[in-house]
mmCIF file of all heavy atoms in Angstrom:
data_model
loop_
_atom_site.group_PDB
_atom_site.id
_atom_site.type_symbol
_atom_site.label_atom_id
_atom_site.label_comp_id
_atom_site.label_asym_id
_atom_site.label_seq_id
_atom_site.Cartn_x
_atom_site.Cartn_y
_atom_site.Cartn_z
ATOM 1 N N GLY A 88 19.006 -55.053 -35.581
ATOM 2 C CA GLY A 88 19.319 -55.437 -34.240
ATOM 3 C C GLY A 88 20.781 -55.370 -33.860
ATOM 4 O O GLY A 88 21.188 -55.629 -32.718
ATOM 5 N N VAL A 89 21.634 -54.992 -34.842
ATOM 6 C CA VAL A 89 23.082 -54.928 -34.605
ATOM 7 C C VAL A 89 23.537 -53.489 -34.614
ATOM 8 O O VAL A 89 23.160 -52.719 -35.505
ATOM 9 C CB VAL A 89 23.833 -55.752 -35.691
ATOM 10 C CG1 VAL A 89 25.335 -55.659 -35.493
ATOM 11 C CG2 VAL A 89 23.341 -57.178 -35.679
ATOM 12 N N VAL A 90 24.367 -53.130 -33.633
ATOM 13 C CA VAL A 90 24.894 -51.759 -33.605
ATOM 14 C C VAL A 90 26.268 -51.714 -34.212
ATOM 15 O O VAL A 90 27.168 -52.485 -33.855
ATOM 16 C CB VAL A 90 24.984 -51.250 -32.130
ATOM 17 C CG1 VAL A 90 25.593 -49.875 -32.074
ATOM 18 C CG2 VAL A 90 23.610 -51.268 -31.467
ATOM 19 N N ARG A 91 26.423 -50.811 -35.179
ATOM 20 C CA ARG A 91 27.727 -50.577 -35.798
ATOM 21 C C ARG A 91 28.325 -49.277 -35.307
ATOM 22 O O ARG A 91 27.623 -48.247 -35.319
ATOM 23 C CB ARG A 91 27.629 -50.566 -37.325
ATOM 24 C CG ARG A 91 27.661 -51.947 -37.952
ATOM 25 C CD ARG A 91 27.860 -51.922 -39.449
ATOM 26 N NE ARG A 91 26.672 -51.380 -40.131
ATOM 27 C CZ ARG A 91 26.543 -50.155 -40.628
ATOM 28 N NH1 ARG A 91 27.543 -49.309 -40.533
ATOM 29 N NH2 ARG A 91 25.424 -49.810 -41.210
ATOM 30 N N THR A 92 29.574 -49.334 -34.875
ATOM 31 C CA THR A 92 30.278 -48.081 -34.443
ATOM 32 C C THR A 92 30.875 -47.425 -35.693
ATOM 33 O O THR A 92 30.981 -48.035 -36.749
ATOM 34 C CB THR A 92 31.378 -48.431 -33.416
ATOM 35 O OG1 THR A 92 32.232 -49.420 -33.965
ATOM 36 C CG2 THR A 92 30.766 -48.958 -32.116
ATOM 37 N N PRO A 93 31.290 -46.184 -35.513
ATOM 38 C CA PRO A 93 31.824 -45.429 -36.692
ATOM 39 C C PRO A 93 33.077 -46.088 -37.283
ATOM 40 O O PRO A 93 33.809 -46.798 -36.588
ATOM 41 C CB PRO A 93 32.154 -44.054 -36.091
ATOM 42 C CG PRO A 93 31.264 -43.923 -34.890
ATOM 43 C CD PRO A 93 31.161 -45.314 -34.333
ATOM 44 N N ALA A 94 33.306 -45.800 -38.516
ATOM 45 C CA ALA A 94 34.450 -46.361 -39.246
ATOM 46 C C ALA A 94 35.749 -46.059 -38.490
ATOM 47 O O ALA A 94 35.988 -44.925 -38.097
ATOM 48 C CB ALA A 94 34.522 -45.757 -40.662
ATOM 49 N N GLY A 95 36.520 -47.076 -38.301
ATOM 50 C CA GLY A 95 37.825 -46.931 -37.664
ATOM 51 C C GLY A 95 37.834 -47.199 -36.166
ATOM 52 O O GLY A 95 38.892 -47.391 -35.560
ATOM 53 N N PHE A 96 36.651 -47.226 -35.537
ATOM 54 C CA PHE A 96 36.604 -47.451 -34.076
ATOM 55 C C PHE A 96 37.117 -48.844 -33.718
ATOM 56 O O PHE A 96 37.825 -49.023 -32.753
ATOM 57 C CB PHE A 96 35.144 -47.258 -33.573
ATOM 58 C CG PHE A 96 34.840 -45.856 -33.143
ATOM 59 C CD1 PHE A 96 35.312 -44.767 -33.883
ATOM 60 C CD2 PHE A 96 34.094 -45.589 -31.983
ATOM 61 C CE1 PHE A 96 35.012 -43.454 -33.471
ATOM 62 C CE2 PHE A 96 33.792 -44.312 -31.588
ATOM 63 C CZ PHE A 96 34.268 -43.237 -32.303
ATOM 64 N N LYS A 97 36.714 -49.804 -34.539
ATOM 65 C CA LYS A 97 37.107 -51.206 -34.209
ATOM 66 C C LYS A 97 38.630 -51.352 -34.236
ATOM 67 O O LYS A 97 39.214 -51.906 -33.308
ATOM 68 C CB LYS A 97 36.451 -52.137 -35.237
ATOM 69 C CG LYS A 97 36.837 -53.580 -35.162
ATOM 70 C CD LYS A 97 36.179 -54.327 -33.998
ATOM 71 C CE LYS A 97 36.562 -55.810 -33.977
ATOM 72 N NZ LYS A 97 36.515 -56.354 -32.615
ATOM 73 N N GLU A 98 39.257 -50.845 -35.283
ATOM 74 C CA GLU A 98 40.702 -50.942 -35.435
ATOM 75 C C GLU A 98 41.399 -50.183 -34.289
ATOM 76 O O GLU A 98 42.398 -50.667 -33.719
ATOM 77 C CB GLU A 98 41.161 -50.368 -36.781
ATOM 78 C CG GLU A 98 40.663 -51.153 -37.985
ATOM 79 C CD GLU A 98 39.187 -50.947 -38.314
ATOM 80 O OE1 GLU A 98 38.569 -50.026 -37.749
ATOM 81 O OE2 GLU A 98 38.636 -51.735 -39.114
ATOM 82 N N ALA A 99 40.867 -49.016 -33.935
ATOM 83 C CA ALA A 99 41.485 -48.225 -32.855
ATOM 84 C C ALA A 99 41.339 -48.975 -31.536
ATOM 85 O O ALA A 99 42.274 -48.981 -30.710
ATOM 86 C CB ALA A 99 40.811 -46.862 -32.787
ATOM 87 N N PHE A 100 40.159 -49.572 -31.335
ATOM 88 C CA PHE A 100 39.949 -50.328 -30.100
ATOM 89 C C PHE A 100 40.964 -51.464 -29.977
ATOM 90 O O PHE A 100 41.486 -51.726 -28.879
ATOM 91 C CB PHE A 100 38.496 -50.849 -30.083
ATOM 92 C CG PHE A 100 37.973 -51.157 -28.705
ATOM 93 C CD1 PHE A 100 37.746 -50.159 -27.776
ATOM 94 C CD2 PHE A 100 37.701 -52.465 -28.317
ATOM 95 C CE1 PHE A 100 37.257 -50.426 -26.487
ATOM 96 C CE2 PHE A 100 37.207 -52.779 -27.034
ATOM 97 C CZ PHE A 100 36.983 -51.730 -26.145
ATOM 98 N N GLU A 101 41.213 -52.123 -31.102
ATOM 99 C CA GLU A 101 42.217 -53.200 -31.089
ATOM 100 C C GLU A 101 43.596 -52.644 -30.712
ATOM 101 O O GLU A 101 44.344 -53.309 -29.972
ATOM 102 C CB GLU A 101 42.269 -53.885 -32.453
ATOM 103 C CG GLU A 101 41.009 -54.708 -32.778
ATOM 104 C CD GLU A 101 40.700 -55.771 -31.735
ATOM 105 O OE1 GLU A 101 41.644 -56.431 -31.241
ATOM 106 O OE2 GLU A 101 39.510 -55.917 -31.352
ATOM 107 N N GLN A 102 43.910 -51.456 -31.180
ATOM 108 C CA GLN A 102 45.219 -50.899 -30.822
ATOM 109 C C GLN A 102 45.304 -50.556 -29.349
ATOM 110 O O GLN A 102 46.334 -50.746 -28.713
ATOM 111 C CB GLN A 102 45.463 -49.618 -31.676
ATOM 112 C CG GLN A 102 45.963 -49.966 -33.063
ATOM 113 C CD GLN A 102 46.446 -48.692 -33.786
ATOM 114 O OE1 GLN A 102 45.720 -48.132 -34.590
ATOM 115 N NE2 GLN A 102 47.627 -48.227 -33.494
ATOM 116 N N VAL A 103 44.203 -50.038 -28.807
ATOM 117 C CA VAL A 103 44.181 -49.726 -27.387
ATOM 118 C C VAL A 103 44.359 -51.012 -26.564
ATOM 119 O O VAL A 103 45.111 -51.046 -25.596
ATOM 120 C CB VAL A 103 42.838 -49.005 -26.996
ATOM 121 C CG1 VAL A 103 42.716 -48.883 -25.505
ATOM 122 C CG2 VAL A 103 42.769 -47.642 -27.683
ATOM 123 N N LYS A 104 43.682 -52.073 -27.001
ATOM 124 C CA LYS A 104 43.790 -53.345 -26.302
ATOM 125 C C LYS A 104 45.223 -53.888 -26.425
ATOM 126 O O LYS A 104 45.817 -54.343 -25.419
ATOM 127 C CB LYS A 104 42.830 -54.365 -26.902
ATOM 128 C CG LYS A 104 41.349 -54.124 -26.545
ATOM 129 C CD LYS A 104 40.390 -54.901 -27.390
ATOM 130 C CE LYS A 104 40.543 -56.390 -27.262
ATOM 131 N NZ LYS A 104 39.556 -57.136 -28.090
ATOM 132 N N ALA A 105 45.743 -53.867 -27.631
ATOM 133 C CA ALA A 105 47.076 -54.421 -27.870
ATOM 134 C C ALA A 105 48.132 -53.708 -27.045
ATOM 135 O O ALA A 105 49.123 -54.316 -26.592
ATOM 136 C CB ALA A 105 47.415 -54.348 -29.349
ATOM 137 N N GLY A 106 47.922 -52.424 -26.780
ATOM 138 C CA GLY A 106 48.880 -51.663 -25.981
ATOM 139 C C GLY A 106 48.774 -51.961 -24.489
ATOM 140 O O GLY A 106 49.557 -51.425 -23.707
ATOM 141 N N GLY A 107 47.768 -52.755 -24.095
ATOM 142 C CA GLY A 107 47.615 -53.051 -22.686
ATOM 143 C C GLY A 107 46.985 -51.922 -21.891
ATOM 144 O O GLY A 107 46.977 -51.937 -20.662
ATOM 145 N N TRP A 108 46.437 -50.939 -22.590
ATOM 146 C CA TRP A 108 45.924 -49.755 -21.875
ATOM 147 C C TRP A 108 44.648 -50.044 -21.056
ATOM 148 O O TRP A 108 44.384 -49.392 -20.088
ATOM 149 C CB TRP A 108 45.636 -48.628 -22.890
ATOM 150 C CG TRP A 108 46.842 -48.180 -23.604
ATOM 151 C CD1 TRP A 108 47.202 -48.438 -24.878
ATOM 152 C CD2 TRP A 108 47.925 -47.430 -23.006
ATOM 153 N NE1 TRP A 108 48.436 -47.876 -25.165
ATOM 154 C CE2 TRP A 108 48.893 -47.252 -24.022
ATOM 155 C CE3 TRP A 108 48.172 -46.867 -21.726
ATOM 156 C CZ2 TRP A 108 50.088 -46.543 -23.796
ATOM 157 C CZ3 TRP A 108 49.333 -46.197 -21.538
ATOM 158 C CH2 TRP A 108 50.287 -46.030 -22.537
ATOM 159 N N THR A 109 43.909 -51.063 -21.493
ATOM 160 C CA THR A 109 42.630 -51.286 -20.820
ATOM 161 C C THR A 109 42.812 -51.853 -19.425
ATOM 162 O O THR A 109 41.899 -51.752 -18.609
ATOM 163 C CB THR A 109 41.760 -52.266 -21.668
ATOM 164 O OG1 THR A 109 42.458 -53.543 -21.751
ATOM 165 C CG2 THR A 109 41.550 -51.760 -23.083
ATOM 166 N N GLY A 110 43.952 -52.479 -19.165
ATOM 167 C CA GLY A 110 44.118 -53.077 -17.862
ATOM 168 C C GLY A 110 45.230 -52.447 -17.028
ATOM 169 O O GLY A 110 45.764 -53.022 -16.091
ATOM 170 N N LEU A 111 45.548 -51.189 -17.363
ATOM 171 C CA LEU A 111 46.716 -50.534 -16.777
ATOM 172 C C LEU A 111 46.706 -50.592 -15.239
ATOM 173 O O LEU A 111 47.718 -50.966 -14.621
ATOM 174 C CB LEU A 111 46.785 -49.075 -17.227
ATOM 175 C CG LEU A 111 48.079 -48.332 -16.904
ATOM 176 C CD1 LEU A 111 49.193 -48.790 -17.857
ATOM 177 C CD2 LEU A 111 47.903 -46.829 -16.993
ATOM 178 N N ASP A 112 45.564 -50.244 -14.640
ATOM 179 C CA ASP A 112 45.522 -50.212 -13.181
ATOM 180 C C ASP A 112 44.738 -51.401 -12.611
ATOM 181 O O ASP A 112 44.275 -51.327 -11.482
ATOM 182 C CB ASP A 112 44.948 -48.881 -12.687
ATOM 183 C CG ASP A 112 43.522 -48.683 -13.135
ATOM 184 O OD1 ASP A 112 43.054 -49.419 -14.035
ATOM 185 O OD2 ASP A 112 42.879 -47.759 -12.602
#
Side-chain angles (χ1 to χ4, degrees):
Chain A
V89 178
V90 177
R91 275 192 291 103
T92 55
F96 270 40
K97 174 77 178 152
E98 294 74 12
F100 202 67
E101 291 304 319
Q102 280 190 260
V103 171
K104 286 165 62 177
W108 297 107
T109 62
L111 191 75
D112 62 347

